[in-house]
Structures are given as structure tokens and as C-alpha cells.
Amino acid sequence: MGPLATRIHTALHRELAAEHIELVDESHMHSGPAAETHFNLVVVSETFDGKRLVARQRLVYGALAAELRDGVHALTMKTLTPAEFSAAAGPVANVSPACRGGSKAD
Amino acid sequence: MGIFNRVKRKLPVVGGGSGSPSTPPGAKAQPGPARPQAATPPPRPASAAPAGGRGDKAVDEFLAEFVQSKPVVLFMKGSPQMPMCGFSANAAGILLSYGVDLASFDVLSDPEVRQGIKDFSQWPTIPQIYIGGEFVGGSDILMQMHQSGELKEMLDELAAG
């Protein structure tokens, strides 16, 4: 696991008491040779309970503010409560789209 | 819901806004003598938005108006017809599939809007979607709302006024 991925795990455990994390570095799907720029995340946390998707995603962006600043350009995510996660059948991660070349920094 | 009335009042704010950074229509296309500043200026075609779609407006002022300019507003990279990012392409594709009245803005055409919309929405990524003038989220959220049926409900509600 790369240094940014390690930091993402640490921050999500610390800030959101994440119970389960799936993190895939998808940088190879995008422009340029850089690694650790595009991530696909599934995060399961009780703190999402009763919150709408926008609020949940804001919590994740808040927890990862430093990582977003330090090179994470794109982060596709699923945010679930433990109950939603255990009720889900099959994989829950988003299917990432192909890059179209207009990347860089968001 | 007053959104359509608000929309009507502010109608000619920008002409689509999805324009690329290329020359605005009419700016260079007339090699003839400059038009005299007649007392009755020719009517401006609706598509003659100022370069980048924002004109001289301050970014915050422009954004506050633009998010209300249509029932559905999309900030993206590229245009719905030629998206420059997979996430933007997804968002545009979902919205177009509902046949909604959509205003889009290409953030690649205006660096100040590109940063400004992130501050305005308190959201660090592009694309961003507004429905009925309210921030809805980015492409992940739009996709989930599309799959759950929540997006259809929201758009139906908006159309019903």
C-alpha cells in the first residue's frame, strides 16, 4: 500500500471510526504515470447513520482534507452504515468511468 | 416552489454556459468594417454569452445566479456533448437521460469558476449538480439517486412545481 493509501486508512479510522474500508488505487486508469491520484473507496461507519448522502460524503472529504490537498485528485466513494453494508448483496464499490483526459486536481 | 418563476425572471443570465474557451460567436467572425454604435443596437443572439459564460461578473455573484438559472444545473469538465472527464460524462449522461432542462458550465473554460464553485458549494470535486437551486452532490451521489429512484422523484416534483 502506498503512503497516501495508508494515510487514507488511518484518517478514516481515526476521524470516522470506520469499521470497514475498501480502497483501490485506480490511478492507472487515468492520465499520466502518477500513482495514488485516483481512488475508489467504500467506507462503512456508524457515524453515517441518519445522514443524507451529501452529509456523509462531506464527512469523508473533511476527514481526508489533507490527503486531497496532497495529491488525491479523484475519489469515487460509497458511504454506508454497518446495517446497510451487511444488507448489501454483492460488491458495493462504484464502477469507475474511463478517464476523458481533462483531469488534474479535481 | 418558486423555482420556475425565479428562473423566468433571470432568464437571459447566460446562454448555456457550456461554451469552450473559444471565441464567442460574432466576436471575430465579421471581417467587415466595425459596426457603428447605432442608437438601436442589434438584438443580441441568445448564444452570445460573454467569453467563458461569466462576463464581468464576480464569481460568487455569477454562481449564485447561475445555480438558479435552470431547474437543473451542472458544473462539469467539458460539455455534455464532449465531456473531458469520466465522472462528468456520467453525471451529464444521467441528467440527459431524463430529458431535463439543463444548464451546464465547463469549469475548464474559467479557472476562477473552477475554484469558485468548490468554495461556493463547500465541495472539493467536479462535477457538481444543483437541482431547483439546491446543491445535490457530485457524480457518486447522482448515480446513487438515479439507481434508487430518488432522482426521478425529485425531478418529477420540480416539474410539477
Side-chain angles (χ1 to χ4, degrees):
Chain A
M1 202 186 304
L4 270 172
T6 305
R7 284 174 54 184
I8 290 171
H9 275 269
T10 305
L12 292 174
H13 282 300
R14 186 183 61 228
E15 303 292 327
L16 303 180
E19 297 180 15
H20 176 75
I21 295 171
E22 295 169 24
L23 184 67
V24 179
D25 183 352
E26 295 185 330
S27 308
H28 62 280
M29 294 168 60
H30 301 275
S31 48
E36 298 207 289
T37 55
H38 293 65
F39 286 97
N40 190 330
L41 171 70
V42 174
V43 55
V44 179
S45 167
E46 195 65 58
T47 58
F48 296 143
D49 191 40
K51 293 192 173 67
R52 297 179 58 85
L53 293 174
V54 171
R56 294 179 182 194
Q57 204 159 324
R58 279 196 209 282
L59 283 175
V60 175
Y61 282 142
L64 301 180
E67 288 70 28
L68 285 164
R69 206 173 43 236
D70 292 348
V72 177
H73 294 164
L75 183 63
T76 181
M77 71 175 89
K78 273 275 179 61
T79 51
L80 301 109
T81 63
E84 289 165 349
F85 183 63
S86 53
V92 293
N94 290 323
V95 178
S96 293
C99 183
R100 306 277 183 117
S103 186
K104 293 198 185 77
D106 47 20
Chain B
M1 293 275 299
I3 176 64
F4 288 106
N5 289 330
R6 273 179 278 153
V7 167
K8 272 175 199 153
R9 265 190 285 134
K10 294 186 173 173
L11 196 57
V13 174
V14 278
S18 59
S20 62
S22 62
T23 317
K28 248 187 184 165
Q30 293 136 344
R35 261 189 206 142
Q37 291 296 329
T40 53
R44 237 162 103 106
S47 62
R54 176 163 62 91
D56 297 331
K57 281 206 174 77
V59 171
D60 273 3
E61 185 193 354
F62 165 74
L63 291 174
E65 288 184 4
F66 192 72
V67 299
Q68 304 273 2
S69 66
K70 287 278 175 122
V72 180
V73 172
L74 170 65
F75 294 88
M76 66 180 293
K77 293 180 177 178
S79 66
Q81 290 70 35
M82 192 172 288
M84 296 296 288
C85 155
F87 298 106
S88 286
N90 273 358
I94 290 171
L95 292 172
L96 290 178
S97 74
Y98 288 86
V100 293
D101 192 8
L102 175 71
S104 73
F105 192 98
D106 178 5
V107 301
L108 298 177
S109 74
D110 189 333
E112 287 186 59
V113 169
R114 183 173 178 172
Q115 181 56 47
I117 190 60
K118 296 178 190 175
D119 300 334
F120 186 83
S121 309
Q122 295 288 296
W123 195 260
T125 52
I126 306 291
Q128 298 187 13
I129 296 95
Y130 281 77
I131 296 180
E134 303 289 332
F135 179 65
V136 164
S139 70
D140 291 339
I141 289 178
L142 193 73
M143 177 60 83
Q144 281 185 257
M145 289 173 62
H146 171 58
Q147 288 166 347
S148 71
E150 197 183 337
L151 181 60
K152 184 177 186 320
E153 259 175 50
M154 193 182 271
L155 293 172
D156 286 350
E157 215 171 277
L158 196 66

Short mmCIF file of all heavy atoms in Angstrom, two decimals, chain A residues 19 36 53 64 84 96:
data_model
loop_
_atom_site.label_atom_id
_atom_site.label_comp_id
_atom_site.label_asym_id
_atom_site.label_seq_id
_atom_site.Cartn_x
_atom_site.Cartn_y
_atom_site.Cartn_z
N GLU A 19 -15.51 1.12 10.29
CA GLU A 19 -15.49 -0.30 10.66
C GLU A 19 -14.99 -1.17 9.52
O GLU A 19 -14.56 -2.30 9.72
CB GLU A 19 -16.91 -0.75 11.04
CG GLU A 19 -17.43 -0.02 12.26
CD GLU A 19 -18.82 -0.45 12.65
OE1 GLU A 19 -19.28 -1.51 12.15
OE2 GLU A 19 -19.46 0.25 13.44
N GLU A 36 -1.45 6.83 -7.01
CA GLU A 36 -2.12 7.42 -5.85
C GLU A 36 -2.75 8.79 -6.14
O GLU A 36 -2.67 9.71 -5.35
CB GLU A 36 -1.16 7.54 -4.66
CG GLU A 36 -0.66 6.18 -4.20
CD GLU A 36 -0.28 6.20 -2.73
OE1 GLU A 36 0.73 6.82 -2.41
OE2 GLU A 36 -1.03 5.61 -1.93
N LEU A 53 -26.76 11.45 1.84
CA LEU A 53 -25.52 11.15 1.12
C LEU A 53 -24.57 12.34 1.09
O LEU A 53 -23.35 12.17 1.23
CB LEU A 53 -25.84 10.70 -0.30
CG LEU A 53 -26.56 9.35 -0.43
CD1 LEU A 53 -26.94 9.09 -1.89
CD2 LEU A 53 -25.69 8.23 0.09
N LEU A 64 -10.51 13.62 5.01
CA LEU A 64 -9.39 13.43 4.07
C LEU A 64 -8.91 14.74 3.46
O LEU A 64 -8.29 14.75 2.40
CB LEU A 64 -9.81 12.45 2.95
CG LEU A 64 -10.24 11.06 3.41
CD1 LEU A 64 -10.62 10.21 2.20
CD2 LEU A 64 -9.14 10.37 4.21
N GLU A 84 -26.44 -1.02 6.52
CA GLU A 84 -26.57 -1.00 5.06
C GLU A 84 -25.54 -1.93 4.42
O GLU A 84 -25.83 -2.62 3.43
CB GLU A 84 -26.35 0.43 4.53
CG GLU A 84 -27.49 1.38 4.86
CD GLU A 84 -27.11 2.84 4.65
OE1 GLU A 84 -25.91 3.13 4.45
OE2 GLU A 84 -28.01 3.68 4.70
N SER A 96 -15.82 2.63 -11.69
CA SER A 96 -15.27 3.91 -12.13
C SER A 96 -15.33 4.06 -13.64
O SER A 96 -15.13 3.11 -14.37
CB SER A 96 -13.81 4.03 -11.69
OG SER A 96 -13.77 4.12 -10.29
#
